Amino acid sequence: MKHRSHTPRGSFLPQPKFRPEIQGLRSLAVLLVVLYHVWFGRVSGGVDVFLFISAFLLSTSSLRKIQEGKPLRVVSYWLHVFQRLLPAAVTVIAGTLAAAYFIVAPSRWASLLDDAQAALFYRLNWRLAENAVDYYAQNASVKTPFQHFWSLSMQGQIFILWPLLFTLIAFLVSYLRLKVIPTALLIFGSVFVASLTFSVIETYSNQAYAYFDTRTRLWEFAAGTLLAMLLLIWRVPDRLKVPLGWLGIIGLVTCGWLLPVQQAFPGFLALWPLLSGAMVIAAGQTGSPYGADRLLGTKPLQKLGAISYCLYLVHWPLLILYTSYMGKEQAGLLDGSLIILASIGLAWLLHQGVEKPLRAWEKKPSRSLLAYLGLRAGRSEGFRHAAKVQAARRPLLVIAACLLLVAGPISLAQGWVQGQYQQAKEYANMAGSPTYPGAQALKGLEVRKTNFPIPMERDDAWVDMSQAIRCNDLPQLGIGDMNDPEAENYCYVYSYSEDPQAPVSLLIGDSHSQQTFSYLADSLEKEEGTIILMIKPWCRFTLPEYSRSVDVQIANSACVDYNAKALEHVQNLAPDNLFMLSTRTFDGSPDEVVMKGLDEIADMVRGYGGQLVLMRDNPRYTVDMMICPQESPFADCSFDREQVLAAENPALDALGDKPGVYHLDMTDYYCPEGVCQALVGNVLVYMDNNHMTRQYGESMAPMAADQLEAQGWRPQAPLLSRPLLPSAGR
């Protein structure tokens, strides 16, 4: 049997075509976003309202069309919406890239281009989510001038998904004769409940990822749809409109100040700004001189609403590029005010120069088409068909032009940057040479200047473990359980010898321990012994009862368990040399402390006849020491030693006279003549605010060897009598 389409009976409550209070609410939301970003460095909750409004308006229009039996024309909607969004977005993307070339450090160029490409294709939120949960990415990251595109990316994804859901509703209503509101309530109510539940769970377990995850935000868009359904069939009583509107305004304005938005969103706390926005929209036009809509309908907010999209686009790159160039973490009152005014001015120019002309062109009939058809009134079928073709052709041309004009140059720029990076990779292996002497410049080696210091990329800055064997690939050592990447436990065998006379050296601890291998490797490799690294980021090696992670005051069960197992393996392996850190430093603080448990570990190593080499931690800073010297001519990238380290190595007082204990202190090379520097001998010292680059470590290798030799250290422990290490064939 053939199904006939069904037009639902009844009608929705009439809705005005233009609602000035919503335009004003959009203005207020975006203004809060800008003010909080520029002056307070906080998140306001305004973006959530901005997205909520988008879903409300889209849903109101779509539900009404379904109720009236009109076609949704999904493809036409997609073309129309992206024709309006893309031109301003690509203009900002192109302008930001052009400005960033002169401001942003070369080490960030590739990442910046990847961000721009992701923003262009509405997937930046997923890129940010992936980067947000990576340990080294977190420490290496600086804010990208495209970061605000995460919400626009999410909005673009919803503009694709929501019409498909409405198409499903239209099908169910038309062919199964279901009612519009109950059907929509079932679908979007399910989305709301499922997404909110998932959002609460993921925000609790992985907030950094959840913040940018589209799945955790679907409920916010669904809330806008649910409000649209409600207001199509019900109106707020007149006596409640005024207090409801003002309650919404107060809730929205105070949200970012009272709630820990950056730490708790998008969990259930995001209901605060959404309910605030819903109150204002539900209150609508009160007709009262005391209503919130009178404020929202004022001329300044209405004009600001017209440029709100452009204002959101331009304010963030302007802020980030300015603070990067000036070497500031945040804008102050005066320069922040200038940034806000400049953002409004640029947004107005973008609106007048890009948005308005394209919208006028979209509505303007084609003269060539009229001439071709010989029609003036547009009453014939031929004209109507041609008009439809033209209506689709124009958005396609705009979208294609936007993508080609920006995506093409981005791809070319990515190729050029990769060529620069490939050349830089070759230079990255030249640490200690006359061109890149690094720490050896402090010993009198002359520096031959080049365009860029090394390393150019962060990926080239870390200790290279690509040639090492994973411990579980050498089961005869019995330490395979120490390699579990999912638990962030890493175990490497850098070299292996079956010779019973060859020394066994074990480097153990966190990422700061691992980085020291760059200046230890030369001394250890000369003996052709077994070299093992046991690494757990954030977890410094010591006795289990003293184990701490990240914050020295906070115990961490994963770190405690790891160190208990690691200590057992140390006792079983009885390495000739145990290398570990002896102190812990803190960001921008001289409060360097000795690791607890060192005395007991020294006794254990001495007991089996081994040697303990204790390395002093390097300074930590409050700025990115890789970016600082490359990006801002105004930033001070050097610090007095007393600002970031104790006056003397505190481990010397604790274990200075302990037999079998040797100390390595490279402070004179991190902080020559008492000043800690970001760039020494054309080599960047750090890859972020606290991790040393492999290149600078390699340039310190001769000095590290001299220190150990001066103390009488030899790779082969003189007192150790070890059993024959099991061979691969046993």
Side-chain angles (χ1 to χ4, degrees):
M1 179 182 291
K2 183 177 179 181
H3 292 282
R4 295 182 179 179
S5 63
H6 166 66
T7 302
R9 293 183 179 181
S11 61
F12 292 144
L13 294 174
Q15 303 288 327
K17 290 185 178 180
F18 176 71
R19 297 186 56 177
E21 76 280 6
I22 293 182
Q23 180 84 319
L25 179 62
R26 182 189 283 117
S27 301
L28 181 60
V30 172
L31 191 59
L32 286 172
V33 170
V34 174
L35 295 178
Y36 272 74
H37 279 168
V38 173
W39 277 333
F40 308 116
R42 292 169 59 93
V43 178
S44 65
V47 169
D48 301 84
V49 175
F50 201 72
L51 301 178
F52 177 78
I53 292 172
S54 299
F56 172 81
L57 295 175
L58 167 59
S59 301
T60 300
S61 173
S62 299
L63 289 168
R64 186 170 291 282
K65 286 180 179 178
I66 295 172
Q67 179 70 15
E68 296 172 356
K70 295 180 180 179
L72 292 176
R73 303 188 189 280
V74 172
V75 175
S76 296
Y77 169 78
W78 286 337
L79 292 175
H80 171 73
V81 74
F82 286 107
Q83 177 195 16
R84 299 189 71 173
L85 292 177
L86 270 173
V90 299
T91 303
V92 171
I93 290 172
T96 300
L97 285 175
Y101 176 78
F102 299 99
I103 297 174
V104 172
S107 58
R108 295 179 57 199
W109 286 350
S111 176
L112 205 63
L113 288 168
D114 290 343
D115 289 340
Q117 188 178 65
L120 180 64
F121 290 101
Y122 291 90
R123 56 178 180 82
L124 183 66
N125 64 306
W126 292 111
R127 173 172 164 78
L128 293 174
E130 294 297 332
N131 289 340
V133 296
D134 181 82
Y135 167 70
Y136 294 108
Q138 282 180 325
N139 283 268
S141 65
V142 289
K143 291 179 180 177
T144 166
F146 297 108
Q147 185 165 310
H148 64 315
F149 271 91
W150 74 265
S151 61
L152 300 178
S153 297
M154 203 174 288
Q155 186 182 48
Q157 294 159 28
I158 294 301
F159 284 154
I160 293 175
L161 175 61
W162 248 229
L164 295 177
L165 294 179
F166 282 118
T167 300
L168 174 61
I169 294 171
F171 172 80
L172 295 174
V173 169
S174 178
Y175 289 94
L176 299 184
R177 298 178 179 270
L178 301 178
K179 293 183 177 180
V180 177
I181 294 298
T183 306
L185 181 61
L186 174 63
I187 291 176
F188 287 103
S190 299
V191 172
F192 179 88
V193 172
S195 174
L196 179 56
T197 303
F198 178 74
S199 178
V200 171
I201 295 172
E202 190 171 66
T203 300
Y204 176 78
S205 61
N206 192 354
Q207 192 269 340
Y209 192 99
Y211 194 88
F212 300 111
D213 189 339
T214 302
R215 297 168 298 177
T216 64
R217 301 272 185 173
L218 287 175
W219 70 272
E220 298 186 27
F221 292 94
T225 303
L226 294 175
L227 179 65
M229 284 187 267
L230 177 64
L231 296 184
L232 285 170
I233 60 175
W234 176 81
R235 282 180 179 165
V236 175
D238 289 344
R239 66 180 182 277
L240 297 179
K241 286 184 176 181
V242 172
L244 191 66
W246 282 113
L247 186 60
I249 294 291
I250 294 170
L252 177 58
V253 172
T254 59
C255 171
W257 194 254
L258 297 178
L259 295 182
V261 176
Q262 287 168 290
Q263 291 78 34
F265 274 36
F268 66 90
L269 285 181
L271 283 166
W272 181 315
L274 295 192
L275 288 174
S276 300
M279 290 176 188
V280 174
I281 295 174
Q285 299 176 38
T286 64
S288 168
Y290 306 108
D293 59 309
R294 291 295 296 270
L295 170 66
L296 298 175
T298 56
K299 194 172 182 179
L301 285 180
Q302 293 299 301
K303 287 188 174 294
L304 193 63
I307 65 170
S308 58
Y309 174 60
C310 294
L311 178 58
Y312 182 79
L313 281 173
V314 302
H315 86 281
W316 183 258
L318 191 62
L319 172 66
I320 296 305
L321 292 176
Y322 168 78
T323 52
S324 296
Y325 184 71
M326 297 301 295
K328 302 176 67 174
E329 292 186 14
Q330 188 176 326
L333 180 61
L334 178 60
D335 53 357
S337 301
L338 294 175
I339 289 172
I340 292 171
L341 292 175
S343 297
I344 294 173
L346 286 175
W348 183 84
L349 290 174
L350 186 61
H351 176 69
Q352 294 292 326
V354 177
E355 280 195 316
K356 284 186 69 174
L358 283 173
R359 289 179 184 178
W361 180 66
E362 179 187 3
K363 297 176 181 178
K364 185 177 181 181
S366 171
R367 292 182 180 178
S368 61
L369 179 65
L370 291 172
Y372 174 75
L373 293 174
L375 299 169
R376 294 184 181 273
R379 296 173 181 171
S380 72
E381 281 296 322
F383 180 85
R384 284 195 291 270
H385 174 72
K388 290 179 181 179
V389 173
Q390 175 188 314
R393 183 185 296 133
R394 283 182 172 178
L396 277 173
L397 288 174
V398 172
I399 293 170
C402 289
L403 295 178
L404 288 175
L405 290 174
V406 177
I410 286 177
S411 296
L412 292 174
Q414 286 174 320
W416 178 79
V417 168
Q418 288 306 316
Q420 297 294 308
Y421 282 4
Q422 192 59 42
Q423 187 177 39
K425 285 181 185 293
E426 300 175 9
Y427 296 152
N429 296 319
M430 296 173 60
S433 68
T435 308
Y436 304 102
Q440 295 180 36
L442 303 174
K443 294 292 186 180
L445 186 59
E446 183 179 353
V447 183
R448 298 176 186 171
K449 293 292 184 182
T450 59
N451 290 332
F452 301 115
I454 60 170
M456 190 173 182
E457 285 189 279
R458 294 189 196 273
D459 289 345
D460 292 331
W462 192 239
V463 180
D464 184 12
M465 289 284 110
S466 60
Q467 302 302 315
I469 304 170
R470 298 286 181 168
C471 292
N472 45 351
D473 292 331
L474 283 174
Q476 60 270 29
L477 288 177
I479 55 175
D481 60 332
M482 297 302 291
N483 188 59
D484 183 5
E486 290 188 3
E488 289 191 297
N489 301 340
Y490 305 97
C491 187
Y492 308 94
V493 180
Y494 191 80
S495 65
Y496 178 69
S497 174
E498 298 178 3
D499 182 356
Q501 302 304 316
V504 175
S505 298
L506 172 61
L507 174 61
I508 191 168
D510 59 5
S511 58
H512 275 227
S513 296
Q514 185 177 359
Q515 68 183 2
T516 65
F517 189 64
S518 58
Y519 61 70
L520 293 173
D522 282 353
S523 297
L524 298 177
E525 284 182 296
K526 290 177 182 178
E527 300 299 319
E528 299 182 350
T530 297
I531 305 173
I532 302 169
L533 288 81
M534 292 182 184
I535 305 298
K536 183 174 181 61
W538 303 97
C539 179
R540 190 146 298 184
F541 177 69
T542 183
L543 299 180
E545 56 266 33
Y546 301 129
S547 297
R548 298 290 183 270
S549 179
V550 186
D551 189 330
V552 73
Q553 302 300 324
I554 301 175
N556 181 281
S557 59
C559 185
V560 171
D561 294 342
Y562 176 85
N563 279 340
K565 187 164 58 172
L567 188 65
E568 182 180 344
H569 282 301
V570 171
Q571 292 170 324
N572 293 335
L573 275 175
D576 294 74
N577 304 289
L578 180 65
F579 293 85
M580 60 179 289
L581 292 176
S582 58
T583 69
R584 183 192 291 272
T585 55
F586 300 92
D587 294 353
S589 171
D591 298 329
E592 183 181 6
V593 297
V594 180
M595 294 297 299
K596 293 182 178 180
L598 292 183
D599 198 64
E600 294 92 330
I601 292 175
D603 289 339
M604 176 192 72
V605 175
R606 178 69 177 176
Y608 68 70
Q611 303 174 120
L612 178 63
V613 180
L614 297 176
M615 299 164 292
R616 186 181 186 183
D617 203 358
N618 61 271
R620 298 172 185 248
Y621 306 91
T622 55
V623 299
D624 189 316
M625 295 289 276
M626 184 177 196
I627 297 300
C628 184
Q630 303 180 71
E631 205 158 79
S632 173
F634 300 100
D636 185 1
C637 304
S638 60
F639 298 82
D640 290 338
R641 182 187 299 190
E642 290 74 17
Q643 291 179 265
V644 290
L645 287 173
E648 300 292 339
N649 183 359
L652 292 178
D653 291 336
L655 295 100
D657 299 326
K658 197 89 170 177
V661 176
Y662 304 87
H663 295 267
L664 263 178
D665 185 355
M666 310 307 293
T667 300
D668 287 343
Y669 306 101
Y670 297 126
C671 308
E673 298 181 355
V675 179
C676 306
Q677 301 180 14
L679 181 66
V680 176
N682 212 23
V683 175
L684 292 164
V685 181
Y686 301 94
M687 60 179 284
D688 49 33
N689 75 313
N690 69 97
H691 289 98
M692 176 183 62
T693 63
R694 165 177 64 88
Q695 290 75 15
Y696 195 72
E698 290 171 354
S699 75
M700 292 194 297
M703 289 75 100
D706 290 344
Q707 279 194 32
L708 290 174
E709 186 176 347
Q711 297 175 66
W713 175 85
R714 298 293 182 270
Q716 177 70 61
L719 303 178
L720 184 61
S721 175
R722 69 168 61 259
L724 181 68
L725 280 178
S727 68
R730 295 178 188 172

